[in-house]
Amino acid sequence: MMKFRRAFGLVIVGVFLLSACSASFPEQKAEIKKEVANTLESQPEKPNNSAKDIEYYLPADYEVEEETPNNVLFKDGSKTYILFYNQHEKEDSKVVYNSTVKQQKKWDANETFSKNGKFGYMLVKQLKEKNYQLIVGIGGVKLTTETENVREDAEAMMEIANSVKVK
């Protein structure tokens, strides 16, 4: 079953990479929202890493660079991700989302999802042509990166956020 999921995931990633070359973020926005929402609703991956207060799943190509209180910095190749967590906030909390939204006057995407007692969100802000700040989160967990491929990163980041468990 796990091999099937991985093979299916690789096929999906391949399709996303091919489709990402032809469509801009505004054209993909609805599909990305749907994929992120589906990831939120899916069964979380089993944690394979831990920090002081949390356990979480990290895909094979990702490496932990640094841990500080309430933050884990990790990389996938040259791309850097920041995992922020507030262990006192539940999966349905909007505290981290509300404080993050206030940091920008306007977002290119501000999508929220509620399912199975979880509050999830995706925020996107265009920084330069084809370069975006991407933030996804669930309750007191938030992941941030800069990317050219919002579609691929949003789903992977939500998969990580969905796996976070407070110890």
Side-chain angles (χ1 to χ4, degrees):
M1 183 68 171
M2 188 59 102
K3 287 183 181 182
F4 174 76
R5 286 182 71 195
R6 288 182 194 256
F8 182 73
L10 288 173
V11 169
I12 296 298
V13 168
V15 169
F16 291 65
L17 289 174
L18 291 173
S19 64
C21 296
S22 61
S24 67
F25 170 72
E27 294 167 338
Q28 296 181 26
K29 187 173 162 181
E31 190 63 32
I32 294 169
K33 176 183 177 181
K34 182 179 174 184
E35 292 165 9
V36 170
N38 287 340
T39 303
L40 171 73
E41 295 174 12
S42 69
Q43 182 69 24
E45 292 288 336
K46 184 177 178 180
N48 60 6
N49 278 283
S50 66
K52 180 181 177 194
D53 297 307
I54 61 168
E55 295 179 330
Y56 59 96
Y57 168 77
L58 207 54
D61 294 341
Y62 292 60
E63 295 179 6
V64 174
E65 289 286 308
E66 182 180 355
E67 290 181 23
T68 59
N70 299 90
N71 289 286
V72 180
L73 183 71
F74 51 91
K75 288 189 166 231
D76 177 16
S78 62
K79 194 175 292 180
T80 301
Y81 301 83
I82 301 168
L83 168 63
F84 167 82
Y85 61 92
N86 180 336
Q87 67 274 22
H88 304 294
E89 297 298 326
K90 303 289 185 204
E91 290 181 324
D92 63 349
S93 173
K94 296 180 181 178
V95 171
V96 174
Y97 165 76
N98 288 332
S99 66
T100 303
V101 166
K102 291 177 185 176
Q103 294 173 7
Q104 299 281 341
K105 287 187 178 198
K106 184 176 182 289
W107 293 93
D108 295 299
N110 180 349
E111 306 294 344
T112 61
F113 322 94
S114 292
K115 191 71 173 184
N116 302 328
K118 297 179 183 179
F119 173 76
Y121 57 92
M122 176 183 75
L123 302 167
V124 180
K125 176 74 175 172
Q126 186 168 6
L127 303 172
K128 300 178 209 166
E129 186 178 335
K130 295 187 179 184
N131 193 25
Y132 300 87
Q133 177 186 28
L134 170 62
I135 301 171
V136 301
I138 298 174
V141 175
K142 161 175 95 168
L143 282 104
T144 306
T145 195
E146 287 186 17
T147 185
E148 292 181 0
N149 192 340
V150 174
R151 186 177 205 158
E152 181 180 325
D153 283 323
E155 186 175 8
M157 291 165 62
M158 185 56 84
E159 185 176 62
I160 295 167
N162 195 31
S163 74
V164 173
K165 303 290 180 233
V166 175
K167 291 182 182 177

